[in-house]
Amino acid sequence: MKLCVIGTGYVGLVSGVCLAAKGHQVTCVDLNPDIVAMLKQGKPHFYEPGLQELLTSVINAGKFTVTSSLSDAMQGAEIAMIAVGTPSVDGEIDLKFVRSAAKEIGTFLKAADQHTSVIVKSTVVPGTTDGVVLDEIQIASGKKLGQFGLGMNPEFLREGCAIEDFSLPDRIVFGYEDKKTLERLEALYAPWDCDKLAVNSRTAELIKYANNALLAVQISAANEIANLSAAIGGIDILDVYNGVCADKRWRPIVNNQRVTPGITSYLLPGCGFGGSCFPKDVEALRTLGQNNDSPMRLLQSVLDINNEQPSQVVKILSQQMGSLKGKKVLVLGLAFKPDTDDVRETASFKIVQDLLAKSASIKAHDPIATSNFKKLFGEPPSDLTFVEDWEEDVFEADVIIIATKWDEYKNITNLNLDGKVIFDARRLFDKGRLKNATYLTIGMRTRGQ
Ligand code: UDX
């Protein structure tokens, strides 16, 4: 099938490349000429494991092209997928890019003798596809729904394993407004064998938000109980959590065997969720509730807990060590999670700010996200420097904070940690024991500590 994908961010590029890998003819469109130039050379403009290789292979197979001209990309396309950004402004998503993409598609369709289904891939609040998007296309094209198709196909991609998530999805949601669009979505995803749900567009839109909101609820709930465990002392939240998960509604017993659902290994108390999706999506849903006279009190608490959660790190450190003034602190991990260079809403940002407020002397490291973090942070104060070889700096540090669960930080056990404080904010070390070091974490305080 011939399709064009508008927007080459995480979602657009990963979707385009993975659909091309299944044999579809994909053209991606991006307004940014630098991004187009890079992609033409087979170089993604962000890091995602496996993406570089797959991009090269679909380009070589002649299945993937990229252009800055939407009308070129639209020629003969049966599907036009909108995968542009939906930035958050005052808690609401800003639809300006979605609107302009829909308008441009409509303008193309006005003069074109082709039937195209427009599919919204961007995460948008319920009512956007069959409202704003439909209106923009109808006005710009002078055509009515039926003369073009319309649908919504949410993504469920986790950064760091987006290729795997696209290739082996748990479900695919087909939101559709007309039968032809449903048939096209079914054909597009025919190579995938998984649960496929056909619903209307606004239901598809809410499935995406509800999915992320309910996961975020679980994370904030686990973090709140973790904070209580630490406040009481003598309890490790992970032991509590294991006990809770033994309930067969969490971990069912099938044929005398415990099944371990993904949620039980996904959830891990720590310094809070970040990234481009959870914070923004929960906020957007909270605001949507407010605007629809259906207040989302729980989601407000989820956000409040999460906003404060990174501060647990410096709070606990201060309780244990007293003043942090002049203490040499090495922060390991700046990305919002491992296997990505994305620093959006990263907990490390707040941790570094808290440390600076306590006049600590900070060195910070990330395997691949340092330059993005520097852009986010702006001109660093003299108390903050960035290092490339973190192992060299362990010797000098009084305190080492593991803020992102990068595998390479496990090497710390091979180094001399005599007298150091290790704050393992992401439970890199399950059992919390490190020889000769004081081990601190979230959700556990040894009695007397
Ligand atoms: C998420 C959703 O999982 C995905 O389905 C959706 O399409 C996009 O948003 P992503 O943001 O890439 O994906 O990361 P995810 O692995 O879900 O983690 C989100 C954040 O939650 C990370 O900051 C992670 O560290 C944090 N997290 C996760 C916790 O703080 N505690 C947990 O128990 C689990």
Side-chain angles (χ1 to χ4, degrees):
M1 185 179 283
K2 191 168 188 296
L3 70 142
C4 78
V5 180
I6 299 125
T8 61
Y10 278 97
V11 173
L13 186 58
V14 169
S15 305
V17 166
C18 290
L19 287 163
K22 291 287 184 186
H24 296 299
Q25 194 63 46
V26 178
T27 305
C28 275
V29 191
D30 205 290
L31 290 174
N32 184 327
D34 296 337
I35 291 178
V36 171
M38 277 182 80
L39 292 176
K40 278 193 169 152
Q41 291 167 23
K43 291 190 190 121
H45 55 100
F46 55 86
Y47 176 75
E48 182 63 34
L51 183 59
Q52 164 89 67
E53 295 78 1
L54 204 57
L55 176 62
T56 307
S57 96
V58 292
I59 290 175
N60 291 342
K63 291 290 178 191
F64 182 94
T65 49
V66 57
T67 173
S68 47
S69 160
L70 185 128
S71 58
D72 284 356
M74 283 289 292
Q75 295 294 338
E78 287 177 75
I79 286 183
M81 203 173 253
I82 299 179
V84 294
T86 50
S88 186
V89 177
D90 298 331
E92 278 186 78
I93 57 164
D94 183 347
L95 289 173
K96 66 175 183 247
F97 300 122
V98 173
R99 274 181 189 278
S100 63
K103 191 171 172 185
E104 229 187 306
I105 292 169
T107 307
F108 171 85
L109 290 176
K110 183 176 189 175
D113 183 21
Q114 73 183 55
H115 187 288
T116 302
S117 288
V118 182
I119 305 294
V120 177
K121 191 82 176 158
S122 308
T123 299
V124 291
V125 293
T128 302
T129 301
D130 66 8
V132 170
V133 174
L134 178 61
D135 289 350
E136 292 286 354
I137 302 171
Q138 291 193 146
I139 292 165
S141 66
K143 294 181 175 174
K144 291 273 164 223
L145 180 64
Q147 293 172 286
F148 60 89
L150 186 65
M152 202 275 156
N153 170 223
E155 52 83 18
F156 300 97
L157 306 176
R158 289 164 302 163
E159 287 182 29
C161 37
I163 302 279
E164 186 192 323
D165 284 349
F166 202 99
S167 310
L168 297 168
D170 30 29
R171 82 278 21 201
I172 300 175
V173 177
F174 301 148
Y176 69 101
E177 296 303 312
D178 59 287
K179 204 157 156 272
K180 194 160 183 165
T181 295
L182 176 59
E183 285 164 6
R184 281 187 171 136
L185 284 169
E186 284 167 345
L188 185 69
Y189 289 103
W192 279 265
D193 181 19
C194 64
D195 286 350
K196 293 171 182 170
L197 288 83
V199 293
N200 62 25
S201 298
R202 49 181 60 202
T203 307
E205 289 162 340
L206 189 54
I207 288 174
K208 165 67 200 241
Y209 273 107
N211 197 76
N212 279 355
L214 289 177
L215 288 168
V217 166
Q218 296 295 332
I219 296 172
S220 278
N223 283 342
E224 194 165 59
I225 296 177
N227 297 346
L228 179 66
S229 303
I232 297 167
I235 300 173
D236 182 352
I237 182 65
L238 292 194
D239 294 334
V240 176
Y241 192 54
N242 282 338
V244 171
C245 289
D247 184 315
K248 54 182 178 288
R249 286 164 295 185
W250 283 90
R251 293 182 62 208
I253 302 168
V254 179
N255 298 331
N256 285 329
Q257 296 273 320
R258 278 284 183 186
V259 178
T260 304
I263 185 74
T264 58
S265 47
Y266 176 72
L267 272 184
L268 188 65
C271 50
F273 59 77
S276 64
C277 288
F278 281 178
K280 189 177 81 157
D281 292 356
V282 176
E283 218 174 329
L285 203 54
R286 189 265 330 256
T287 308
L288 185 72
Q290 217 169 44
N291 296 346
N292 281 276
D293 199 20
S294 180
M296 311 291 275
R297 297 180 201 93
L298 181 58
L299 295 189
Q300 182 58 56
S301 300
V302 166
L303 291 168
D304 292 344
I305 293 166
N306 196 60
N307 286 338
E308 286 165 24
Q309 197 61 11
S311 300
Q312 284 288 320
V313 175
V314 167
K315 182 181 158 193
I316 294 168
L317 276 174
S318 306
Q319 279 166 356
Q320 297 300 314
M321 303 178 65
S323 169
L324 297 179
K325 190 167 181 200
K327 287 272 186 296
K328 292 181 182 135
V329 182
L330 177 61
V331 177
L332 296 180
L334 301 171
F336 85 96
K337 67 174 201 175
D339 294 320
T340 178
D341 60 358
D342 197 338
V343 295
R344 283 175 286 181
E345 303 286 334
T346 179
S348 306
F349 186 81
K350 288 183 191 150
I351 293 171
V352 168
Q353 278 184 323
D354 286 355
L355 288 166
L356 286 170
K358 295 279 180 190
S359 305
S361 166
I362 308 159
K363 288 190 174 175
H365 172 271
D366 192 280
I368 56 174
T370 304
S371 71
N372 282 342
F373 190 86
K374 282 181 184 169
K375 280 182 222 151
L376 185 75
F377 209 87
E379 191 57 42
S382 57
D383 276 345
L384 172 62
T385 51
F386 297 93
V387 298
E388 286 192 8
D389 184 350
W390 63 271
E391 296 197 19
E392 276 184 4
D393 289 280
V394 165
F395 178 71
E396 288 272 308
D398 301 310
V399 180
I400 298 145
I401 299 172
I402 300 165
T404 312
K405 205 174 178 180
W406 285 102
D407 237 21
E408 69 172 71
Y409 297 145
K410 285 191 180 143
N411 286 349
I412 205 166
T413 52
N414 300 325
L415 306 175
N416 180 2
L417 300 177
D418 280 358
K420 299 194 186 299
V421 173
I422 310 288
F423 197 108
D424 183 4
R426 296 290 182 187
R427 296 290 182 133
L428 187 64
F429 300 102
D430 270 3
K431 281 295 152 207
R433 309 277 174 265
L434 286 178
K435 251 204 271 169
N436 300 338
T438 301
Y439 182 87
L440 299 176
T441 187
I442 289 173
M444 180 185 80
R445 180 172 57 88
T446 312
R447 264 189 282 187
Q449 244 185 356

